[in-house]
Amino acid sequence: MTGKYGKLQLAFYSGLTTFLIIITTLFLYMYAIGRKQLFAQLFSARIFYLPIFFHLIVISLTAGIVVYGIITFIQKRQIGRVAEKLERLASGDYDHPLLDRQLGQSHELENINQDIKTLQKKLVSVSRELQQLSSQPQLFDGLTKEKILEEERHRLARELHDSVSQQLFAAMMMLSALNEQAQVAKELEIYKKPLATVVDIINAAQSEMRALLLHLRPVNLEGKSLKQGIEQLLRELQTKISIKLNWNIEDLKVTSGIEDQIFRVVQEILSNTLRHAKASELEVYLKIVGPTLILRVVDDGVGFDPEDDHAGSYGLRNIRERIASIGGSTKIISFKNQGTSVEIKVPIVKEAEDDTSVVSG
């Protein structure tokens, strides 16, 4: 494609060519009608009180500007088509019909189009390999990594529930009894405010404990479909917290590797929301649009700065890594006091029919 310097050159030559054509035509005309002193006529003859030469310069400049504008417009259209194709690849929509359209007839555009097709095939190949690898168990001392993590999560969840969670519940019961006594005994009235503060602290600790137990619960679907697993998770959550939950989840047919990672990501997002967002409403949407799985989780909580490495960075990094491991992309939008939206897209790559569909790197 022509750069800015090249466009200026074309515009200059177009203006110069226009000037030469017009002045040549004008000289031939004046010669044909018998006019003498042709160059003098350019400055003596006037139109609207201005010499003809001035009008020739204006017309030539206008022609150059028009050529520059036309070239810029055409290039913007061409660049826009390239950008659209790259956006489709970046979002994982590898089968979109737009990727099969030609960019133009020039040799340069054809080369760009071929490069995009090569990139498309490579991305499909990488996504397919990632999803296949994520479905294969990794063994450590005869046990899969997932099994080891699951057993450790079970142990931690059991210990937390049997010790800390029970103690928090007992402390809350004792505080409730003290609060009732403070309501009727005047000598305890001075303790009402400190008791209320302690109640708030214990309530916050219980909410944190629920989030931790949610995070430590079994991480596999245990034979359920992805829809059933997520809905069960949300229903159980609904009975334990005061957040309003809304969801719309399709019954998807994807590989077990993708199912497991999406289920874990939903679990991670819910845990982060309970622990940090202070939200009153949470929405979960899961569907397939064309060849792409889309997960969107939205809350109306306190939000955070996505550029801040300390704002829930570990959980968000974990989510991004899980989605990247199956060839997907993660988009997080959040503003202070305006909530957070997490959108995940995972391309559903078809199995290769033959090796010729994969372009080697």
Side-chain angles (χ1 to χ4, degrees):
M1 294 181 183
T2 307
K4 184 176 181 180
Y5 182 71
K7 289 190 291 186
L8 288 173
Q9 277 189 320
L10 286 174
F12 172 77
Y13 289 133
S14 298
L16 181 61
T17 302
T18 301
F19 178 80
L20 293 174
I21 290 174
I22 293 176
I23 201 170
T24 301
T25 304
L26 189 60
F27 280 173
L28 290 174
Y29 173 73
M30 288 190 295
Y31 181 80
I33 63 176
R35 293 288 184 95
K36 306 294 183 181
Q37 299 179 335
L38 301 181
F39 279 102
Q41 292 291 334
L42 292 177
F43 297 95
S44 60
R46 295 174 178 269
I47 301 176
F48 298 118
Y49 308 105
L50 294 173
I52 291 178
F53 184 80
F54 175 80
H55 291 283
L56 293 179
I57 296 295
V58 170
I59 293 172
S60 301
L61 286 174
T62 302
I65 292 171
V66 169
V67 169
Y68 185 89
I70 291 173
I71 295 173
T72 301
F73 174 75
I74 292 173
Q75 283 194 344
K76 281 186 176 180
R77 287 190 62 185
Q78 293 172 343
I79 292 171
R81 291 171 187 157
V82 173
E84 285 179 351
K85 289 195 173 191
L86 294 177
E87 285 174 5
R88 292 295 176 183
L89 292 178
S91 64
D93 194 358
Y94 304 138
D95 294 330
H96 197 278
L98 177 68
L99 296 172
D100 295 325
R101 296 178 187 171
Q102 295 295 322
L103 292 174
Q105 300 299 322
S106 70
H107 179 69
E108 187 177 15
L109 288 174
E110 181 60 28
N111 287 338
I112 294 174
N113 199 53
Q114 289 300 321
D115 290 341
I116 291 175
K117 283 185 173 295
T118 301
L119 179 61
Q120 175 191 8
K121 292 177 181 178
K122 286 186 176 181
L123 287 172
V124 169
S125 175
V126 169
S127 295
R128 184 183 298 116
E129 289 176 5
L130 284 172
Q131 291 173 13
Q132 289 173 347
L133 285 173
S134 68
S135 301
Q136 297 174 359
Q138 301 177 24
L139 297 178
F140 298 89
D141 295 331
L143 294 175
T144 65
K145 177 183 175 182
E146 288 74 18
K147 187 64 177 177
I148 296 171
L149 290 174
E150 182 182 343
E151 290 179 356
E152 187 63 15
R153 285 169 178 263
H154 270 299
R155 185 185 66 80
L156 289 173
R158 184 169 57 252
E159 290 183 2
L160 286 172
H161 182 270
D162 293 343
S163 57
V164 182
S165 185
Q166 297 297 334
Q167 290 171 4
L168 286 173
F169 180 75
M172 198 63 179
M173 292 296 98
M174 293 173 66
L175 280 173
S176 297
L178 288 173
N179 270 328
E180 290 179 2
Q181 292 181 20
Q183 298 298 325
V184 296
K186 290 184 178 180
E187 62 272 15
L188 296 177
E189 189 171 350
I190 59 173
Y191 298 109
K192 284 184 179 179
K193 189 173 181 180
L195 285 172
T197 302
V198 175
V199 168
D200 290 340
I201 293 172
I202 292 180
N203 277 329
Q206 286 183 317
S207 296
E208 181 79 8
M209 183 58 61
R210 292 190 190 103
L212 287 171
L213 291 174
L214 170 68
H215 190 71
L216 292 170
R217 65 169 292 158
V219 293
N220 53 37
L221 290 168
E222 300 176 333
K224 295 184 287 290
S225 68
L226 184 58
K227 173 182 172 69
Q228 292 170 337
I230 295 176
E231 287 184 341
Q232 180 181 341
L233 192 65
L234 292 169
R235 290 193 185 98
E236 290 178 5
L237 197 60
Q238 205 167 33
T239 63
K240 298 176 182 177
I241 61 173
S242 57
I243 296 179
K244 181 181 178 184
L245 296 174
N246 298 306
W247 65 81
N248 184 3
I249 300 172
E250 292 183 4
D251 193 9
L252 311 179
K253 302 297 182 183
V254 292
T255 63
S256 60
I258 294 178
E259 281 188 335
D260 289 340
Q261 294 291 12
I262 292 296
F263 182 70
R264 295 174 192 179
V265 163
V266 170
Q267 188 180 31
E268 184 90 43
I269 294 174
L270 294 178
S271 176
N272 285 347
T273 301
L274 293 180
R275 298 174 66 188
H276 306 296
K278 299 179 182 178
S280 59
E281 187 170 355
L282 179 71
E283 300 176 358
V284 181
Y285 303 98
L286 180 66
K287 58 184 177 180
I288 284 186
V289 178
T292 306
L293 179 150
I294 298 177
L295 169 67
R296 186 180 292 114
V297 182
V298 183
D299 69 60
D300 62 350
V302 297
F304 63 95
D305 182 4
E307 301 300 323
D308 183 1
D309 291 337
H310 301 288
S313 59
Y314 177 77
L316 297 178
R317 185 168 63 251
N318 199 22
I319 290 169
R320 286 192 174 99
E321 288 175 356
R322 286 190 182 279
I323 296 304
S325 71
I326 51 176
S329 60
T330 304
K331 182 179 180 181
I332 299 174
I333 300 175
S334 184
F335 299 98
K336 290 290 183 68
N337 301 316
Q338 296 185 41
T340 300
S341 170
V342 179
E343 183 178 78
I344 287 165
K345 294 183 178 180
V346 179
I348 308 302
V349 182
K350 298 177 182 178
E351 292 296 327
E353 294 179 1
D354 51 58
D355 295 335
T356 59
S357 64
V358 178
V359 177
S360 63

